[in-house]
Amino acid sequence: MTTTVAVLSGKGGVGKTTVCASLGLGLALQGHKTAVIDFDIGLRNLDLATGSHRRILYDFINVLEGEAALGDALIRNRHCDTLYLLAASQTRDKSALTEEGVGRVIQQLGDAGFEYILCDAPPGMEHAAKLACHFADQAIVCVTPDTASVRATDRILGLLQSHRIDNQPDTLHEYLLINRVNQFHLDSGAALTTAAILETLAIDLLIEVPECNRVAAAWSEGKPVLADTESAAAVALRNAVAILSGQPIKPVVGEVKPAGLLGRLRRR
Ligand SMILES: Nc1ncnc2c1ncn2[C@@H]1O[C@H](COP(=O)(O)OP(=O)(O)OP(=O)(O)O)[C@@H](O)[C@H]1O
Ligand SMILES: [Mg+2]
């Protein structure tokens, strides 16, 4: 059984790739065969976040166009041998992403025993993000605690809802991940509270991930921040992995709340 997860956002730069790399590593470290796919054609980054950028021979578009076999394009992670990356093309046109092609790759990954497929989408709800959602069982929508990001998130949640109504059965479960939560900004009133964000967006909360200076360091080391033992972001992301895979979580008071406590609030 394969679970496909689309990692989305309304606004750019809110942490999708950071989250996708870490959740992928976390699931893989639990022993699940996991693929992370970069849907951000032309602006790839997941290769950097996972430390695989020097080992790309073939990419997602090469596979979709029949220029490479999926097995030759998948890059095994150097820190965890159950984690694989399918990199985005840096030079090709995203129109090569077709529903038929993406569906075929996801089917092939399932046939090859992958238990989790995480799709790192570009921001917004254009072609590639729609395709990432089209085959997903779950969507993790990333937001930062500011008005611009929440407004953009509200917009894409509405688009997601109408895309779903038009194109697929209502089986996609959406979760919100609030990234870069900063207590200093909350105390000074410069950031929106989680309660205010949830009231606006009416979506289940997966996790709050704190602002953490280890994230940038992890990017430069090519090792997802989840691999850190102590950093606050790593603890939150490991808890997100536990929630996604149905394991018990390690609560961090004031930072982490499991999904479901707020009930399933459907968008109207
Ligand atoms: N919790 C965090 N604490 C501190 N910095 C963070 C955190 N999460 C992400 N960042 C930083 O934010 C920046 C953007 O992150 P990332 O590339 O993951 O966002 P993105 O949503 O994938 O962007 P894009 O929309 O361009 O694909 C990076 O420099 C990253 O280091
Ligand atoms: Mg990204």
Side-chain angles (χ1 to χ4, degrees):
M1 162 116 175
T2 310
T3 302
T4 303
V5 182
V7 182
L8 312 169
S9 73
K11 202 165 167 288
V14 300
K16 292 177 297 302
T17 303
T18 303
V19 164
C20 194
S22 274
L23 297 185
L25 178 63
L27 290 162
L29 286 172
Q30 287 188 347
H32 301 294
K33 196 173 175 189
T34 301
V36 289
I37 307 182
D38 197 337
F39 274 71
D40 205 347
I41 309 300
L43 288 170
R44 75 178 175 213
N45 257 339
L46 197 51
D47 54 323
L48 285 174
T50 53
S52 311
H53 49 291
R54 293 205 178 85
R55 294 189 294 134
I56 300 172
L57 287 179
Y58 301 108
D59 58 48
F60 194 12
I61 301 294
N62 291 135
V63 176
L64 292 174
E65 302 271 276
E67 297 156 353
L70 178 58
D72 292 333
L74 286 169
I75 304 167
R76 192 191 284 248
N77 190 266
R78 60 196 164 99
H79 306 295
C80 178
D81 63 9
T82 44
L83 177 64
Y84 293 79
L85 167 73
L86 185 54
S89 170
Q90 200 66 306
T91 52
R92 305 281 284 273
D93 195 285
K94 57 185 165 228
S95 63
L97 285 180
T98 61
E99 190 177 313
E100 181 278 322
V102 173
R104 181 166 30 90
V105 166
I106 287 181
Q107 178 71 46
Q108 273 182 282
L109 288 169
D111 293 346
F114 280 88
E115 293 164 81
Y116 286 95
I117 302 169
L118 272 62
C119 306
D120 182 20
M125 194 43 73
E126 296 300 326
H127 181 63
K130 274 187 189 161
L131 279 179
C133 292
H134 191 77
F135 295 97
D137 306 295
Q138 298 173 0
I140 296 176
V141 184
C142 299
V143 66
T144 47
D146 57 273
T147 307
S149 180
V150 171
R151 182 190 282 172
T153 305
D154 196 30
R155 173 89 183 119
I156 68 139
L157 286 173
L159 291 170
L160 193 58
Q161 187 78 342
S162 49
H163 175 70
R164 181 164 56 200
I165 289 165
D166 291 344
N167 293 283
Q168 62 185 35
D170 190 6
T171 52
L172 183 72
H173 192 111
E174 298 144 18
Y175 296 99
L176 190 69
L177 184 149
I178 306 178
N179 191 26
R180 308 193 76 155
V181 175
N182 180 314
Q183 195 58 49
F184 178 77
H185 289 160
L186 282 169
D187 291 345
S188 69
L192 295 174
T193 64
T194 293
I197 296 170
L198 293 174
E199 195 179 327
T200 305
L201 298 177
I203 173 177
D204 284 348
L205 176 65
L206 173 64
I207 215 85
E208 295 164 272
V209 179
E211 174 88 26
C212 175
N213 57 15
R214 276 294 307 155
V215 173
W219 270 84
S220 61
E221 290 160 17
K223 195 171 184 182
V225 70
L226 174 135
D228 268 17
T229 42
E230 295 303 333
S231 80
V235 172
L237 288 160
R238 283 200 291 271
N239 278 332
V241 169
I243 293 166
L244 290 173
S245 60
Q247 308 284 317
I249 71 161
K250 177 181 165 194
V252 180
V253 176
E255 289 182 349
V256 176
K257 297 180 188 73
L261 284 184
L262 295 158
R264 179 85 175 104
L265 296 171
R266 301 293 307 175
R267 292 181 62 73
R268 283 180 283 278

